[in-house]
Structures are given as C-alpha cells and as structure tokens.
Amino acid sequence: MTTQRDRIRRHVAANPGVHFNRLARELDLATGQVQYHLKKLRRAGDLVAEPLYGRTHYYTPEYDAAERGAIAVLRRETARDALLSLIDRGPSPPGTVAADLGIARSTLEWHLDHLVEQGLVEKRRDERDRVTLALSRPGATARALREIEPSLPERLVDRFTRLVDGLVADE
C-alpha cells in the first residue's frame, strides 16, 4: 500500500464516516489524489463508501449498513444534540427538544427525519395523535455517539443554522 493510501485508510479508521471534502482538507491532499486512492482502497475492500444526506461518507469494512447510517447522521451536531436531549430528558415532545436546542421546529424535523430513517429515534403517537420522541436503540445510539465527533466546519454550519433560526424567530 502506498504511503498516501495508508494515510487515508488510517484517517478513515480514526474518523469513521468522514466525508470526502473533510478527508481531502484534513490530509491536505489534492481532490484528484484523494479520489484516486479512495477508488483503489474501495476496490481492495479496505474502505466502504456510503452516500447519505448529500455527502459520501467513508468507513472501514467492519461497520455494517446500520452503523454506517447512524454514524453519518450523528456527524451533524444538531442531530447529536437532539439525541443527547432525549438521553437526558427521556421521551419528549418535539417542541420541547427544539426549545432545548434553541432551533426552529422545522430544523429539528429535518434532523429527526434522518434519525428516524436510521432507526435511532422513533415518533410515538398517543390516542390524541400527539407525538413523543424516544430513543429506538439506546445501546446502539451510545456506541455510535462514542465513535464520532463532528468537525469544526460541520459544527459551524449547524450553529449558523441555529443563529438564523433565532433571528427568524425574533421577527
């Protein structure tokens, strides 16, 4: 394995679910070079690519599809924070979680759609059709949360969204 290829594989192993742009940026490699080595690593079975939510995320082969999806969605700080709110509070109405996070309900719903799709959160309806959010798989969620930490650019995008939500809510 080439030195660059080995660097890429080690970086993906240390940062499961890392997306292409972050990989190129953090390793300070040209995008064409990263594309070339990723293609070789994928063909050799050393890496797996998972296109989710507008980005292609990379993993080492030991992650199954469910783990890859969970890690990809949890790379978003707001999704992580929503889960942490549910861990702290237990099952909660969406409005309470949105208020805890200081975000618009629509922003929360965008993240919830992905959390529900990945089987991390479920929306329960009572007899009056009111929704309560709850963790679907607390053990798997805890493992996925330990695997990743959002990058600075990912946190900045989420925080910018929260800022805009706050400005819109104040009008």
Side-chain angles (χ1 to χ4, degrees):
M1 191 176 298
T2 69
T3 304
Q4 296 299 11
R5 213 167 296 155
D6 191 44
R7 276 183 68 213
I8 291 170
R9 191 196 178 296
R10 281 194 318 267
H11 191 77
V12 170
N15 300 281
V18 64
H19 60 83
F20 179 83
N21 289 336
R22 181 177 171 196
L23 186 61
R25 185 175 50 250
E26 289 183 352
L27 293 177
D28 195 28
L29 296 172
T31 56
Q33 190 177 15
V34 174
Q35 287 172 330
Y36 172 80
H37 290 298
L38 285 172
K39 183 177 177 181
K40 294 284 188 180
L41 287 163
R42 288 177 58 208
R43 278 196 183 147
D46 292 327
L47 292 183
V48 176
E50 187 78 45
L52 288 167
Y53 315 121
R55 295 179 174 161
T56 300
H57 300 265
Y58 294 93
Y59 305 85
T60 51
E62 66 266 13
Y63 294 96
D64 66 24
E67 291 169 322
R68 292 190 305 263
I71 290 170
V73 75
L74 292 176
R75 284 226 164 259
R76 307 271 183 176
E77 185 178 23
T78 302
R80 284 174 56 92
D81 289 348
L83 278 178
L84 292 173
S85 176
L86 291 173
I87 289 169
D88 288 344
R89 284 185 170 273
S92 305
T96 301
V97 175
D100 280 352
L101 302 180
I103 60 174
R105 183 73 189 273
S106 59
T107 301
L108 177 65
E109 288 297 332
W110 187 87
H111 291 282
L112 284 176
D113 287 346
H114 301 305
L115 289 165
V116 168
E117 180 182 336
Q118 295 305 322
L120 298 171
V121 170
E122 56 187 39
K123 292 182 177 181
R124 299 176 183 159
R125 295 190 180 274
D126 65 14
E127 65 281 347
R128 294 176 49 197
D129 209 31
R130 291 179 298 199
V131 174
T132 299
L133 305 173
L135 296 177
S136 301
R137 303 176 296 153
T141 300
R143 280 190 302 280
L145 283 168
R146 283 191 298 270
E147 287 291 325
I148 58 109
E149 179 67 33
S151 70
L152 178 61
E154 290 166 331
R155 288 194 311 262
L156 290 174
V157 167
D158 279 345
R159 289 179 186 174
F160 178 75
T161 302
R162 288 181 185 185
L163 175 66
V164 171
D165 284 348
L167 293 173
V168 172
D170 291 340
E171 292 181 356

mmCIF file with all atom_site columns, all heavy atoms in Angstrom, residues 78 102-108 158-171:
data_model
loop_
_atom_site.group_PDB
_atom_site.id
_atom_site.type_symbol
_atom_site.label_atom_id
_atom_site.label_alt_id
_atom_site.label_comp_id
_atom_site.label_asym_id
_atom_site.label_entity_id
_atom_site.label_seq_id
_atom_site.pdbx_PDB_ins_code
_atom_site.Cartn_x
_atom_site.Cartn_y
_atom_site.Cartn_z
_atom_site.occupancy
_atom_site.B_iso_or_equiv
_atom_site.pdbx_formal_charge
_atom_site.auth_seq_id
_atom_site.auth_comp_id
_atom_site.auth_asym_id
_atom_site.auth_atom_id
_atom_site.pdbx_PDB_model_num
ATOM 1   N N   . THR A 1 78  ? -26.402 19.060 15.335 1.00 0.00 ? 78  THR A N   1
ATOM 2   C CA  . THR A 1 78  ? -27.781 19.229 15.790 1.00 0.00 ? 78  THR A CA  1
ATOM 3   C C   . THR A 1 78  ? -28.442 17.876 16.016 1.00 0.00 ? 78  THR A C   1
ATOM 4   O O   . THR A 1 78  ? -29.176 17.698 16.998 1.00 0.00 ? 78  THR A O   1
ATOM 5   C CB  . THR A 1 78  ? -28.584 20.081 14.787 1.00 0.00 ? 78  THR A CB  1
ATOM 6   O OG1 . THR A 1 78  ? -27.925 21.348 14.651 1.00 0.00 ? 78  THR A OG1 1
ATOM 7   C CG2 . THR A 1 78  ? -30.009 20.298 15.257 1.00 0.00 ? 78  THR A CG2 1
ATOM 8   N N   . GLY A 1 102 ? -32.710 25.350 21.066 1.00 0.00 ? 102 GLY A N   1
ATOM 9   C CA  . GLY A 1 102 ? -32.778 26.720 20.565 1.00 0.00 ? 102 GLY A CA  1
ATOM 10  C C   . GLY A 1 102 ? -32.858 26.791 19.055 1.00 0.00 ? 102 GLY A C   1
ATOM 11  O O   . GLY A 1 102 ? -32.258 27.660 18.430 1.00 0.00 ? 102 GLY A O   1
ATOM 12  N N   . ILE A 1 103 ? -33.596 25.843 18.455 1.00 0.00 ? 103 ILE A N   1
ATOM 13  C CA  . ILE A 1 103 ? -33.724 25.800 16.997 1.00 0.00 ? 103 ILE A CA  1
ATOM 14  C C   . ILE A 1 103 ? -35.195 25.807 16.602 1.00 0.00 ? 103 ILE A C   1
ATOM 15  O O   . ILE A 1 103 ? -36.073 25.525 17.417 1.00 0.00 ? 103 ILE A O   1
ATOM 16  C CB  . ILE A 1 103 ? -33.030 24.555 16.392 1.00 0.00 ? 103 ILE A CB  1
ATOM 17  C CG1 . ILE A 1 103 ? -33.642 23.258 16.944 1.00 0.00 ? 103 ILE A CG1 1
ATOM 18  C CG2 . ILE A 1 103 ? -31.534 24.608 16.621 1.00 0.00 ? 103 ILE A CG2 1
ATOM 19  C CD1 . ILE A 1 103 ? -33.109 21.991 16.301 1.00 0.00 ? 103 ILE A CD1 1
ATOM 20  N N   . ALA A 1 104 ? -35.438 26.110 15.343 1.00 0.00 ? 104 ALA A N   1
ATOM 21  C CA  . ALA A 1 104 ? -36.801 26.077 14.812 1.00 0.00 ? 104 ALA A CA  1
ATOM 22  C C   . ALA A 1 104 ? -37.277 24.627 14.740 1.00 0.00 ? 104 ALA A C   1
ATOM 23  O O   . ALA A 1 104 ? -36.484 23.708 14.548 1.00 0.00 ? 104 ALA A O   1
ATOM 24  C CB  . ALA A 1 104 ? -36.847 26.708 13.426 1.00 0.00 ? 104 ALA A CB  1
ATOM 25  N N   . ARG A 1 105 ? -38.543 24.467 14.877 1.00 0.00 ? 105 ARG A N   1
ATOM 26  C CA  . ARG A 1 105 ? -39.129 23.127 14.810 1.00 0.00 ? 105 ARG A CA  1
ATOM 27  C C   . ARG A 1 105 ? -38.844 22.486 13.446 1.00 0.00 ? 105 ARG A C   1
ATOM 28  O O   . ARG A 1 105 ? -38.580 21.289 13.353 1.00 0.00 ? 105 ARG A O   1
ATOM 29  C CB  . ARG A 1 105 ? -40.628 23.273 15.079 1.00 0.00 ? 105 ARG A CB  1
ATOM 30  C CG  . ARG A 1 105 ? -41.428 22.044 15.131 1.00 0.00 ? 105 ARG A CG  1
ATOM 31  C CD  . ARG A 1 105 ? -41.204 21.223 16.398 1.00 0.00 ? 105 ARG A CD  1
ATOM 32  N NE  . ARG A 1 105 ? -41.874 19.976 16.209 1.00 0.00 ? 105 ARG A NE  1
ATOM 33  C CZ  . ARG A 1 105 ? -43.152 19.762 16.490 1.00 0.00 ? 105 ARG A CZ  1
ATOM 34  N NH1 . ARG A 1 105 ? -43.861 20.701 17.052 1.00 0.00 ? 105 ARG A NH1 1
ATOM 35  N NH2 . ARG A 1 105 ? -43.693 18.610 16.219 1.00 0.00 ? 105 ARG A NH2 1
ATOM 36  N N   . SER A 1 106 ? -38.857 23.296 12.375 1.00 0.00 ? 106 SER A N   1
ATOM 37  C CA  . SER A 1 106 ? -38.583 22.757 11.035 1.00 0.00 ? 106 SER A CA  1
ATOM 38  C C   . SER A 1 106 ? -37.151 22.231 10.931 1.00 0.00 ? 106 SER A C   1
ATOM 39  O O   . SER A 1 106 ? -36.904 21.216 10.277 1.00 0.00 ? 106 SER A O   1
ATOM 40  C CB  . SER A 1 106 ? -38.846 23.816 9.960  1.00 0.00 ? 106 SER A CB  1
ATOM 41  O OG  . SER A 1 106 ? -38.029 24.950 10.182 1.00 0.00 ? 106 SER A OG  1
ATOM 42  N N   . THR A 1 107 ? -36.209 22.900 11.565 1.00 0.00 ? 107 THR A N   1
ATOM 43  C CA  . THR A 1 107 ? -34.822 22.434 11.570 1.00 0.00 ? 107 THR A CA  1
ATOM 44  C C   . THR A 1 107 ? -34.725 21.108 12.315 1.00 0.00 ? 107 THR A C   1
ATOM 45  O O   . THR A 1 107 ? -34.077 20.166 11.850 1.00 0.00 ? 107 THR A O   1
ATOM 46  C CB  . THR A 1 107 ? -33.895 23.477 12.219 1.00 0.00 ? 107 THR A CB  1
ATOM 47  O OG1 . THR A 1 107 ? -33.994 24.693 11.478 1.00 0.00 ? 107 THR A OG1 1
ATOM 48  C CG2 . THR A 1 107 ? -32.450 23.003 12.249 1.00 0.00 ? 107 THR A CG2 1
ATOM 49  N N   . LEU A 1 108 ? -35.391 21.033 13.458 1.00 0.00 ? 108 LEU A N   1
ATOM 50  C CA  . LEU A 1 108 ? -35.400 19.776 14.209 1.00 0.00 ? 108 LEU A CA  1
ATOM 51  C C   . LEU A 1 108 ? -35.999 18.663 13.372 1.00 0.00 ? 108 LEU A C   1
ATOM 52  O O   . LEU A 1 108 ? -35.467 17.551 13.327 1.00 0.00 ? 108 LEU A O   1
ATOM 53  C CB  . LEU A 1 108 ? -36.174 19.929 15.522 1.00 0.00 ? 108 LEU A CB  1
ATOM 54  C CG  . LEU A 1 108 ? -36.293 18.640 16.338 1.00 0.00 ? 108 LEU A CG  1
ATOM 55  C CD1 . LEU A 1 108 ? -34.929 18.179 16.830 1.00 0.00 ? 108 LEU A CD1 1
ATOM 56  C CD2 . LEU A 1 108 ? -37.264 18.824 17.492 1.00 0.00 ? 108 LEU A CD2 1
ATOM 57  N N   . ASP A 1 158 ? -24.026 23.914 11.515 1.00 0.00 ? 158 ASP A N   1
ATOM 58  C CA  . ASP A 1 158 ? -25.162 23.707 12.417 1.00 0.00 ? 158 ASP A CA  1
ATOM 59  C C   . ASP A 1 158 ? -25.410 24.945 13.268 1.00 0.00 ? 158 ASP A C   1
ATOM 60  O O   . ASP A 1 158 ? -26.551 25.341 13.493 1.00 0.00 ? 158 ASP A O   1
ATOM 61  C CB  . ASP A 1 158 ? -24.931 22.488 13.308 1.00 0.00 ? 158 ASP A CB  1
ATOM 62  C CG  . ASP A 1 158 ? -25.248 21.184 12.608 1.00 0.00 ? 158 ASP A CG  1
ATOM 63  O OD1 . ASP A 1 158 ? -25.903 21.220 11.547 1.00 0.00 ? 158 ASP A OD1 1
ATOM 64  O OD2 . ASP A 1 158 ? -24.855 20.126 13.120 1.00 0.00 ? 158 ASP A OD2 1
ATOM 65  N N   . ARG A 1 159 ? -24.356 25.564 13.753 1.00 0.00 ? 159 ARG A N   1
ATOM 66  C CA  . ARG A 1 159 ? -24.537 26.747 14.601 1.00 0.00 ? 159 ARG A CA  1
ATOM 67  C C   . ARG A 1 159 ? -25.053 27.932 13.800 1.00 0.00 ? 159 ARG A C   1
ATOM 68  O O   . ARG A 1 159 ? -25.832 28.733 14.306 1.00 0.00 ? 159 ARG A O   1
ATOM 69  C CB  . ARG A 1 159 ? -23.232 27.075 15.319 1.00 0.00 ? 159 ARG A CB  1
ATOM 70  C CG  . ARG A 1 159 ? -22.960 26.023 16.381 1.00 0.00 ? 159 ARG A CG  1
ATOM 71  C CD  . ARG A 1 159 ? -21.704 26.223 17.121 1.00 0.00 ? 159 ARG A CD  1
ATOM 72  N NE  . ARG A 1 159 ? -21.509 25.066 17.991 1.00 0.00 ? 159 ARG A NE  1
ATOM 73  C CZ  . ARG A 1 159 ? -20.442 24.866 18.693 1.00 0.00 ? 159 ARG A CZ  1
ATOM 74  N NH1 . ARG A 1 159 ? -19.455 25.731 18.657 1.00 0.00 ? 159 ARG A NH1 1
ATOM 75  N NH2 . ARG A 1 159 ? -20.336 23.806 19.461 1.00 0.00 ? 159 ARG A NH2 1
ATOM 76  N N   . PHE A 1 160 ? -24.639 28.052 12.540 1.00 0.00 ? 160 PHE A N   1
ATOM 77  C CA  . PHE A 1 160 ? -25.168 29.108 11.681 1.00 0.00 ? 160 PHE A CA  1
ATOM 78  C C   . PHE A 1 160 ? -26.669 28.904 11.472 1.00 0.00 ? 160 PHE A C   1
ATOM 79  O O   . PHE A 1 160 ? -27.439 29.857 11.527 1.00 0.00 ? 160 PHE A O   1
ATOM 80  C CB  . PHE A 1 160 ? -24.430 29.129 10.333 1.00 0.00 ? 160 PHE A CB  1
ATOM 81  C CG  . PHE A 1 160 ? -24.966 30.174 9.399  1.00 0.00 ? 160 PHE A CG  1
ATOM 82  C CD1 . PHE A 1 160 ? -24.665 31.512 9.600  1.00 0.00 ? 160 PHE A CD1 1
ATOM 83  C CD2 . PHE A 1 160 ? -25.783 29.815 8.342  1.00 0.00 ? 160 PHE A CD2 1
ATOM 84  C CE1 . PHE A 1 160 ? -25.162 32.480 8.744  1.00 0.00 ? 160 PHE A CE1 1
ATOM 85  C CE2 . PHE A 1 160 ? -26.288 30.784 7.487  1.00 0.00 ? 160 PHE A CE2 1
ATOM 86  C CZ  . PHE A 1 160 ? -25.976 32.121 7.684  1.00 0.00 ? 160 PHE A CZ  1
ATOM 87  N N   . THR A 1 161 ? -27.068 27.661 11.253 1.00 0.00 ? 161 THR A N   1
ATOM 88  C CA  . THR A 1 161 ? -28.486 27.359 11.094 1.00 0.00 ? 161 THR A CA  1
ATOM 89  C C   . THR A 1 161 ? -29.254 27.758 12.348 1.00 0.00 ? 161 THR A C   1
ATOM 90  O O   . THR A 1 161 ? -30.338 28.342 12.276 1.00 0.00 ? 161 THR A O   1
ATOM 91  C CB  . THR A 1 161 ? -28.694 25.859 10.796 1.00 0.00 ? 161 THR A CB  1
ATOM 92  O OG1 . THR A 1 161 ? -27.958 25.530 9.614  1.00 0.00 ? 161 THR A OG1 1
ATOM 93  C CG2 . THR A 1 161 ? -30.150 25.518 10.598 1.00 0.00 ? 161 THR A CG2 1
ATOM 94  N N   . ARG A 1 162 ? -28.691 27.464 13.504 1.00 0.00 ? 162 ARG A N   1
ATOM 95  C CA  . ARG A 1 162 ? -29.333 27.845 14.769 1.00 0.00 ? 162 ARG A CA  1
ATOM 96  C C   . ARG A 1 162 ? -29.432 29.363 14.895 1.00 0.00 ? 162 ARG A C   1
ATOM 97  O O   . ARG A 1 162 ? -30.430 29.892 15.368 1.00 0.00 ? 162 ARG A O   1
ATOM 98  C CB  . ARG A 1 162 ? -28.564 27.278 15.960 1.00 0.00 ? 162 ARG A CB  1
ATOM 99  C CG  . ARG A 1 162 ? -28.713 25.792 16.106 1.00 0.00 ? 162 ARG A CG  1
ATOM 100 C CD  . ARG A 1 162 ? -27.959 25.311 17.312 1.00 0.00 ? 162 ARG A CD  1
ATOM 101 N NE  . ARG A 1 162 ? -27.999 23.863 17.376 1.00 0.00 ? 162 ARG A NE  1
ATOM 102 C CZ  . ARG A 1 162 ? -27.499 23.168 18.369 1.00 0.00 ? 162 ARG A CZ  1
ATOM 103 N NH1 . ARG A 1 162 ? -26.940 23.771 19.388 1.00 0.00 ? 162 ARG A NH1 1
ATOM 104 N NH2 . ARG A 1 162 ? -27.567 21.859 18.368 1.00 0.00 ? 162 ARG A NH2 1
ATOM 105 N N   . LEU A 1 163 ? -28.380 30.078 14.473 1.00 0.00 ? 163 LEU A N   1
ATOM 106 C CA  . LEU A 1 163 ? -28.392 31.531 14.523 1.00 0.00 ? 163 LEU A CA  1
ATOM 107 C C   . LEU A 1 163 ? -29.508 32.084 13.649 1.00 0.00 ? 163 LEU A C   1
ATOM 108 O O   . LEU A 1 163 ? -30.271 32.953 14.072 1.00 0.00 ? 163 LEU A O   1
ATOM 109 C CB  . LEU A 1 163 ? -27.036 32.086 14.084 1.00 0.00 ? 163 LEU A CB  1
ATOM 110 C CG  . LEU A 1 163 ? -26.935 33.611 13.977 1.00 0.00 ? 163 LEU A CG  1
ATOM 111 C CD1 . LEU A 1 163 ? -27.084 34.242 15.360 1.00 0.00 ? 163 LEU A CD1 1
ATOM 112 C CD2 . LEU A 1 163 ? -25.607 34.002 13.350 1.00 0.00 ? 163 LEU A CD2 1
ATOM 113 N N   . VAL A 1 164 ? -29.605 31.583 12.427 1.00 0.00 ? 164 VAL A N   1
ATOM 114 C CA  . VAL A 1 164 ? -30.660 32.029 11.515 1.00 0.00 ? 164 VAL A CA  1
ATOM 115 C C   . VAL A 1 164 ? -32.027 31.707 12.103 1.00 0.00 ? 164 VAL A C   1
ATOM 116 O O   . VAL A 1 164 ? -32.935 32.545 12.069 1.00 0.00 ? 164 VAL A O   1
ATOM 117 C CB  . VAL A 1 164 ? -30.481 31.400 10.110 1.00 0.00 ? 164 VAL A CB  1
ATOM 118 C CG1 . VAL A 1 164 ? -31.690 31.674 9.236  1.00 0.00 ? 164 VAL A CG1 1
ATOM 119 C CG2 . VAL A 1 164 ? -29.210 31.937 9.459  1.00 0.00 ? 164 VAL A CG2 1
ATOM 120 N N   . ASP A 1 165 ? -32.184 30.503 12.659 1.00 0.00 ? 165 ASP A N   1
ATOM 121 C CA  . ASP A 1 165 ? -33.455 30.167 13.301 1.00 0.00 ? 165 ASP A CA  1
ATOM 122 C C   . ASP A 1 165 ? -33.803 31.164 14.392 1.00 0.00 ? 165 ASP A C   1
ATOM 123 O O   . ASP A 1 165 ? -34.943 31.574 14.531 1.00 0.00 ? 165 ASP A O   1
ATOM 124 C CB  . ASP A 1 165 ? -33.396 28.750 13.914 1.00 0.00 ? 165 ASP A CB  1
ATOM 125 C CG  . ASP A 1 165 ? -33.515 27.658 12.872 1.00 0.00 ? 165 ASP A CG  1
ATOM 126 O OD1 . ASP A 1 165 ? -33.876 27.960 11.715 1.00 0.00 ? 165 ASP A OD1 1
ATOM 127 O OD2 . ASP A 1 165 ? -33.228 26.496 13.230 1.00 0.00 ? 165 ASP A OD2 1
ATOM 128 N N   . GLY A 1 166 ? -32.809 31.567 15.181 1.00 0.00 ? 166 GLY A N   1
ATOM 129 C CA  . GLY A 1 166 ? -33.037 32.525 16.254 1.00 0.00 ? 166 GLY A CA  1
ATOM 130 C C   . GLY A 1 166 ? -33.428 33.894 15.727 1.00 0.00 ? 166 GLY A C   1
ATOM 131 O O   . GLY A 1 166 ? -34.307 34.552 16.283 1.00 0.00 ? 166 GLY A O   1
ATOM 132 N N   . LEU A 1 167 ? -32.789 34.308 14.645 1.00 0.00 ? 167 LEU A N   1
ATOM 133 C CA  . LEU A 1 167 ? -33.133 35.600 14.060 1.00 0.00 ? 167 LEU A CA  1
ATOM 134 C C   . LEU A 1 167 ? -34.534 35.606 13.470 1.00 0.00 ? 167 LEU A C   1
ATOM 135 O O   . LEU A 1 167 ? -35.268 36.577 13.622 1.00 0.00 ? 167 LEU A O   1
ATOM 136 C CB  . LEU A 1 167 ? -32.101 35.971 12.980 1.00 0.00 ? 167 LEU A CB  1
ATOM 137 C CG  . LEU A 1 167 ? -30.690 36.251 13.477 1.00 0.00 ? 167 LEU A CG  1
ATOM 138 C CD1 . LEU A 1 167 ? -29.744 36.433 12.299 1.00 0.00 ? 167 LEU A CD1 1
ATOM 139 C CD2 . LEU A 1 167 ? -30.664 37.470 14.379 1.00 0.00 ? 167 LEU A CD2 1
ATOM 140 N N   . VAL A 1 168 ? -34.890 34.535 12.801 1.00 0.00 ? 168 VAL A N   1
ATOM 141 C CA  . VAL A 1 168 ? -36.222 34.421 12.203 1.00 0.00 ? 168 VAL A CA  1
ATOM 142 C C   . VAL A 1 168 ? -37.292 34.363 13.295 1.00 0.00 ? 168 VAL A C   1
ATOM 143 O O   . VAL A 1 168 ? -38.345 34.973 13.182 1.00 0.00 ? 168 VAL A O   1
ATOM 144 C CB  . VAL A 1 168 ? -36.308 33.194 11.275 1.00 0.00 ? 168 VAL A CB  1
ATOM 145 C CG1 . VAL A 1 168 ? -37.716 32.947 10.813 1.00 0.00 ? 168 VAL A CG1 1
ATOM 146 C CG2 . VAL A 1 168 ? -35.377 33.399 10.069 1.00 0.00 ? 168 VAL A CG2 1
ATOM 147 N N   . ALA A 1 169 ? -37.001 33.659 14.373 1.00 0.00 ? 169 ALA A N   1
ATOM 148 C CA  . ALA A 1 169 ? -37.969 33.525 15.469 1.00 0.00 ? 169 ALA A CA  1
ATOM 149 C C   . ALA A 1 169 ? -38.200 34.853 16.172 1.00 0.00 ? 169 ALA A C   1
ATOM 150 O O   . ALA A 1 169 ? -39.285 35.100 16.693 1.00 0.00 ? 169 ALA A O   1
ATOM 151 C CB  . ALA A 1 169 ? -37.494 32.488 16.477 1.00 0.00 ? 169 ALA A CB  1
ATOM 152 N N   . ASP A 1 170 ? -37.175 35.732 16.185 1.00 0.00 ? 170 ASP A N   1
ATOM 153 C CA  . ASP A 1 170 ? -37.296 37.023 16.855 1.00 0.00 ? 170 ASP A CA  1
ATOM 154 C C   . ASP A 1 170 ? -38.137 38.024 16.062 1.00 0.00 ? 170 ASP A C   1
ATOM 155 O O   . ASP A 1 170 ? -38.561 39.030 16.599 1.00 0.00 ? 170 ASP A O   1
ATOM 156 C CB  . ASP A 1 170 ? -35.912 37.640 17.101 1.00 0.00 ? 170 ASP A CB  1
ATOM 157 C CG  . ASP A 1 170 ? -35.137 36.849 18.161 1.00 0.00 ? 170 ASP A CG  1
ATOM 158 O OD1 . ASP A 1 170 ? -35.777 36.113 18.927 1.00 0.00 ? 170 ASP A OD1 1
ATOM 159 O OD2 . ASP A 1 170 ? -33.906 36.988 18.203 1.00 0.00 ? 170 ASP A OD2 1
ATOM 160 N N   . GLU A 1 171 ? -38.361 37.761 14.785 1.00 0.00 ? 171 GLU A N   1
ATOM 161 C CA  . GLU A 1 171 ? -39.116 38.711 13.950 1.00 0.00 ? 171 GLU A CA  1
ATOM 162 C C   . GLU A 1 171 ? -40.593 38.588 14.146 1.00 0.00 ? 171 GLU A C   1
ATOM 163 O O   . GLU A 1 171 ? -41.198 37.738 14.528 1.00 0.00 ? 171 GLU A O   1
ATOM 164 C CB  . GLU A 1 171 ? -38.767 38.502 12.471 1.00 0.00 ? 171 GLU A CB  1
ATOM 165 C CG  . GLU A 1 171 ? -37.353 38.915 12.188 1.00 0.00 ? 171 GLU A CG  1
ATOM 166 C CD  . GLU A 1 171 ? -36.994 38.735 10.729 1.00 0.00 ? 171 GLU A CD  1
ATOM 167 O OE1 . GLU A 1 171 ? -37.778 38.226 9.947  1.00 0.00 ? 171 GLU A OE1 1
ATOM 168 O OE2 . GLU A 1 171 ? -35.893 39.130 10.384 1.00 0.00 ? 171 GLU A OE2 1
#
